[in-house]
Amino acid sequence: MPPWIFSRKGASGFSWASTADQVTQGLSAAGLTAIVTGASSGIGAETARVLAARGAHVVMAARNLAAAESVRQAVLADNPAATLDVMELDLSSMASVRKFAADFNAKGLPLNILVNNAGVMATPFTLSKDDIEMQFATNHVGHFLLTNLLLETMKKTCRESNVEGRIVNVSSEAHRFTYKEGIRFDKINDEAEYSTFGAYGQSKLANILHANELARRFKEEGVNITANSLHPGCIITNLLRYHGIIDVLTRTLGKLVLKNPNQGAATTCYVALYPGAKGESGKYFSDSNVYEASEKARDMELAKKLWDFSVELTT
């Protein structure tokens, strides 16, 4: 594939090939506090590293504490001035989400940026600790609950600092390949009709709908917080570990056409920090540019229905 296809820049001045370091070059996040979920590897680890490099106090939320601490130590080795904390968070468990939020809020820290990045992909059918299909539970429900539990802290921070808060939901172009119904409200736990990739697409569609409904509510309330979603690109990560041959092909031939984690984190860092994203809310981004999501993802009635459904699940 011709190199110019990857380097062609969009309206933002960035492209498929842009890295997280490039999109944040010269920017300062000093005085800001960010939470990044899934910060123990891949996009989450890179996002945490780059935000910390720009001066943010980064809270690395991760299920695997040892892996997250290893990332933290690697960042500090390169940048001793970085401020990073590791906190345990298992998004498939509402009890863990509630404990994380309570522990974070008890620290009395501000919260300017929330990056809902962690996820699982195309897993075999299984139920979470709360009896919800695992991909929907981890990728959407856990982040929905986490966001709600941290909202008052974010609102207080933006009021007192007069700095725009930003919520970033890492979705995927896979949202276009959800079940034909979009969100299977009545069949979330239906093992008989379960599709590994259909369920993944459903959870990624939910990420976009969640951000869009948050954006609508913030606008209605006059709150200075934006909520956006994004496709990070096709990236070499460990998400496909449940699909052996696909994982092998991704890590070998995929290196020719897939993004590395630093490129994959570019759009996340752009939406989280770049001045050009200020005031943008309810948008879907790809390659650090505004992009059009699917028709289902732009259905505000579906977003409202998902919000009400998610409230029921989490209460």
Side-chain angles (χ1 to χ4, degrees), residues 282-293:
K283 301 290 180 63
Y284 177 67
F285 291 78
S286 180
D287 297 336
S288 302
N289 285 275
V290 175
Y291 200 65
E292 187 170 80

Side-chain angles (χ1 to χ4, degrees), residues 176 205 208-209 212 292-301:
R176 301 181 192 276
L205 172 62
I208 301 175
L209 293 170
N212 291 351
E292 187 170 80
S294 71
E295 185 175 351
K296 282 188 175 71
R298 291 178 277 120
D299 185 339
M300 292 308 296
E301 288 300 316

Side-chain angles (χ1 to χ4, degrees), residues 33-35 57 59 85 87 98-112 146 150 153-154 157:
T33 300
I35 291 175
H57 177 178
V59 175
D85 299 324
M87 292 181 64
R98 293 183 188 281
K99 183 178 187 307
F100 173 91
D103 289 347
F104 177 82
N105 288 332
K107 291 178 180 290
L109 291 170
L111 181 57
N112 306 91
L146 177 68
L150 296 173
T153 297
M154 287 200 78
T157 299

Side-chain angles (χ1 to χ4, degrees), residues 84-162:
L84 304 102
D85 299 324
V86 172
M87 292 181 64
E88 185 173 12
L89 173 63
D90 178 356
L91 284 156
S92 70
S93 164
M94 286 192 234
S96 176
V97 173
R98 293 183 188 281
K99 183 178 187 307
F100 173 91
D103 289 347
F104 177 82
N105 288 332
K107 291 178 180 290
L109 291 170
L111 181 57
N112 306 91
I113 300 167
L114 173 60
V115 179
N116 290 321
N117 161 79
V120 294
M121 180 180 182
T123 60
F125 180 85
T126 186
L127 296 179
S128 71
K129 296 173 183 177
D130 303 294
D131 292 325
I132 302 169
E133 186 276 310
M134 186 61 78
Q135 294 192 77
F136 194 73
T138 304
N139 298 352
H140 169 64
V141 176
H143 281 128
F144 177 87
L145 178 60
L146 177 68
T147 302
N148 278 2
L149 294 173
L150 296 173
L151 270 184
E152 285 308 311
T153 297
M154 287 200 78
K155 290 178 180 179
K156 180 173 183 287
T157 299
C158 72
R159 281 196 309 267
E160 294 180 351
S161 66
N162 200 31

